[in-house]
Structure formats: structure tokens, C-alpha cells
Amino acid sequence: MSRQANLAKIHIAKKDLGMEDDAYRAMLMDVAKVDTASKLDFHGQYAVLQRLKELGWKPARGLKVGVT
């Protein structure tokens, strides 16, 4: 997956979960030690997507989660 595709998934998951901005940024800081998704590296993107799944996000059918 491309960087842009993963960032889009992260933002879709945030919206789908109804996360408030403060909670979202706290999760980013907890998981990847960044305050905005644009600062995520390869491993950070994967970790954030995994945390969003743990929080209950289910990607749309055909939408693969992870970084390839």
C-alpha cells in the first residue's frame, strides 16, 4: 500500500469510529509518538491501523489493512 492510501485509511477509520480530535491525537501519540498522521513512518502507519482495528474499526470489504 502507498503512503497516501494508508493515511486515507487512517482518516476513514477515525471518522468511522467517531473519534474526537483530542482522542485521535492522543492515540497517535500513544501508538507512534507523533501528533499528526502526516509524521507517521512505515511502522507507525501499520501500528496505528492495528490500533484502530483493536478499537473496533472494520475496513470496508476489499480494503486491505496494513502496509505492503
Side-chain angles (χ1 to χ4, degrees):
M1 293 274 146
S2 73
R3 173 177 173 75
Q4 291 298 67
N6 284 325
L7 291 176
K9 286 180 206 168
I10 289 168
H11 289 101
I12 290 167
K14 175 189 173 203
K15 181 180 177 186
D16 288 352
L17 291 170
M19 292 182 82
E20 297 290 330
D21 198 51
D22 289 343
Y24 169 72
R25 292 190 187 281
M27 183 270 304
L28 288 176
M29 189 58 69
D30 182 50
V31 173
K33 308 297 183 242
V34 297
D35 59 352
T36 180
S38 65
K39 294 180 183 176
L40 290 169
D41 62 9
F42 175 87
H43 298 291
Q45 290 174 7
Y46 180 80
V48 168
L49 286 167
Q50 293 307 311
R51 175 65 61 90
L52 291 165
K53 284 176 54 180
E54 290 169 9
L55 293 173
W57 180 61
K58 296 192 184 326
R61 276 167 78 117
L63 187 64
K64 294 183 179 180
V65 174
V67 183
T68 57

